[in-house]
Amino acid sequence: MTLPTEIKEFGHRFAKEYRAIRKAIEKYDRIVVYRHIKPDFDAMGTQMGLYTFLKDNFPAKDIHFVGDNHVTFTPRLFPETERLNDEWIAKGPFLAIVVDVGDRERIADPRFEKAEAVVKFDHHPFKGTEIAKYPVLFEEAAAASEIVADFCLSWSGRWMSKEAAHYFYIGIVGDSGRFMYSSTSTHTFAVAMELLREGIDLPRLYRSMYVKNIDDLKSTAYVLSHFRVSEHGVAYYTLDAKTQEELKITPERGKENVNVFSNIDGIGIWCSITEDPNPKDYCWRISIRSKMLDIAPIAFKWGGGGHPQASGAKIKDLSELDAFIGDLDALLKEHPEAK
Ligand code: AMP
């Protein structure tokens, strides 16, 4: 089967890296696929898509995936992430494949440092020290799944199962905002088309990604009656731990209401601010989204990062909230056309 031009061109751009990564995969009998902490659809979809693809094509190899579980995605969308014990790690050399993350600190299992070789696929703007010998970094990609699915689809002689395609498709849909964000390109659609050919059940896939229950409706009602809007058009809401408990939601679920503010005239940037009471890393987690403006530099300033229109950050406590919202508000003041 001939692949679309977009996939062929992408393969030429990363020919050297693809060749080296394929060689490494063929060489190592022990492989671990890593993703970022606090996984989203794309982190999980990319990891599970690649893991499934590798299992399908290299059944004799010892392959694992690791990281913290997403409480609402598993087991609804993805299998429980296994606990890989230290004995396995110590047993011999292995290859670490890191997906959807470039910063050391954000990789969900620090034991990737013990791998003999590290390769990486990512689309996050990256400022730290490179972790991989052969990084495939393409910031313009709508999703990490778009890149890794491209890598798998164009690997001649290997095959993509319906299950692997299903996972990659979840990643693409998740990070492209259902093909709505400006990062969506002809390459995104070319990869999605090839994945669809494998027979994905789209209604089932969308239902499993976006299913809600009555409690979710109540949390949306709470958000809609408690949000605030800054002078120049930043909409935001806070969910403290007590309210999350009353609403029966986790911080992850709490942030999922953030997109009720997309496509609202007069709102250019919107955020959820949810208290994470975990004593090991107590903070208020912020999800930031924007209609047009690049909010990643502000996310970076506030201890986070991400993409121009979807980023994450955190603050220590609510005393920092006004200053944080102030930064976003100042950006919209400069660009009133962006709301
Ligand atoms: P979220 O609001 O958590 O859904 O995150 C939106 C996007 O920003 C995702 O692509 C995340 O991977 C990215 N992101 C969130 N937090 C951080 C962070 N602390 N550093 C870098 N990227 C982040």
Side-chain angles (χ1 to χ4, degrees):
M1 160 109 56
T2 337
L3 290 166
T5 319
E6 286 81 359
I7 295 185
K8 284 191 200 145
E9 283 172 358
F10 202 87
H12 287 146
R13 174 194 281 260
F14 290 107
K16 188 174 86 187
E17 289 84 358
Y18 274 18
R19 237 187 340 264
I21 295 173
R22 284 171 185 154
K23 253 181 144 163
I25 291 172
E26 275 158 357
K27 174 179 161 188
Y28 285 91
D29 288 333
R30 305 167 79 238
I31 300 175
V32 186
V33 187
Y34 294 81
R35 58 163 141 85
H36 63 73
I37 49 168
K38 306 272 166 205
D40 52 12
F41 289 132
D42 191 29
M44 302 274 311
T46 312
Q47 183 187 38
M48 288 313 301
L50 180 59
Y51 168 79
T52 309
F53 174 85
L54 294 175
K55 290 291 270 187
D56 290 339
N57 285 279
F58 301 95
K61 290 188 191 281
D62 190 7
I63 308 171
H64 298 269
F65 59 98
V66 292
D68 46 336
N69 274 306
H70 188 295
V71 282
T72 52
F73 291 176
T74 44
R76 176 165 60 92
L77 280 164
F78 304 103
E80 292 277 325
T81 305
E82 52 180 329
R83 292 265 141 248
L84 192 58
N85 60 36
D86 286 338
E87 287 81 69
W88 189 95
I89 300 281
K91 214 159 69 185
F94 68 96
L95 169 70
I97 308 183
V98 178
V99 299
D100 198 31
V101 55
D103 293 335
R104 254 192 172 74
E105 305 70 45
R106 297 197 76 233
I107 299 175
D109 186 326
R111 294 173 301 173
F112 78 93
E113 307 261 16
K114 304 234 184 285
E116 187 171 84
V118 181
V119 300
K120 159 186 120 171
F121 296 92
D122 191 23
H123 70 137
H124 289 92
F126 173 63
K127 297 194 174 69
T129 340
E130 185 51 71
I131 54 163
K133 184 151 182 221
Y134 295 105
V136 176
L137 174 63
F138 189 64
E139 288 181 21
E140 289 81 2
S145 275
E146 175 185 329
I147 304 172
V148 181
D150 179 287
F151 170 81
C152 296
L153 287 163
S154 60
W155 192 342
S156 122
R158 305 293 170 190
W159 69 288
M160 172 82 73
S161 65
K162 184 169 156 181
E163 190 190 355
H166 173 90
Y167 288 135
F168 283 132
Y169 204 91
I170 288 176
I172 294 175
V173 167
D175 249 29
S176 69
R178 304 182 219 184
F179 303 98
M180 258 177 7
Y181 298 157
S182 60
S183 52
T184 305
S185 67
T186 53
H187 180 261
T188 319
F189 280 112
V191 172
M193 176 175 77
E194 291 303 313
L195 295 175
L196 269 182
R197 283 190 208 282
E198 305 307 329
I200 298 170
D201 179 346
L202 276 189
R204 183 174 78 85
L205 181 144
Y206 277 102
R207 230 180 6 256
S208 67
M209 287 179 77
Y210 297 108
V211 63
K212 297 255 187 287
N213 58 33
I214 306 280
D215 285 335
D216 295 325
L217 281 185
K218 289 184 183 155
S219 72
T220 306
Y222 178 91
V223 165
L224 288 176
S225 48
H226 289 82
F227 73 95
R228 281 178 276 171
V229 182
S230 71
E231 186 181 352
H232 297 98
V234 182
Y236 61 102
Y237 62 90
T238 55
L239 286 170
D240 60 28
K242 185 166 167 279
T243 309
Q244 289 171 41
E245 210 180 308
E246 281 162 13
L247 293 170
K248 295 189 233 151
I249 53 168
T250 58
E252 285 94 346
R253 204 57 166 170
K255 89 166 188 198
E256 285 169 23
N257 278 305
V258 71
N259 278 326
V260 298
F261 302 104
S262 58
N263 288 318
I264 308 289
D265 236 0
I267 293 178
I269 297 174
W270 51 101
C271 318
S272 70
I273 299 130
T274 50
E275 185 176 13
D276 187 341
N278 175 0
K280 271 201 222 137
D281 183 22
Y282 178 87
C283 65
W284 290 70
R285 298 194 179 280
I286 307 179
S287 284
I288 321 164
R289 305 290 185 263
S290 92
K291 232 178 227 168
M292 293 155 78
L293 297 175
D294 182 358
I295 34 106
I298 294 180
F300 187 70
K301 175 180 163 189
W302 288 91
H307 309 286
Q309 283 152 299
S311 283
K314 49 185 171 182
I315 51 177
K316 276 198 316 292
D317 54 57
L318 286 186
S319 65
E320 296 182 320
L321 182 61
D322 287 350
F324 168 75
I325 297 294
D327 279 355
L328 296 173
D329 196 60
L331 185 65
L332 274 173
K333 185 178 178 189
E334 260 178 65
H335 301 279
E337 73 289 354
K339 57 184 180 186

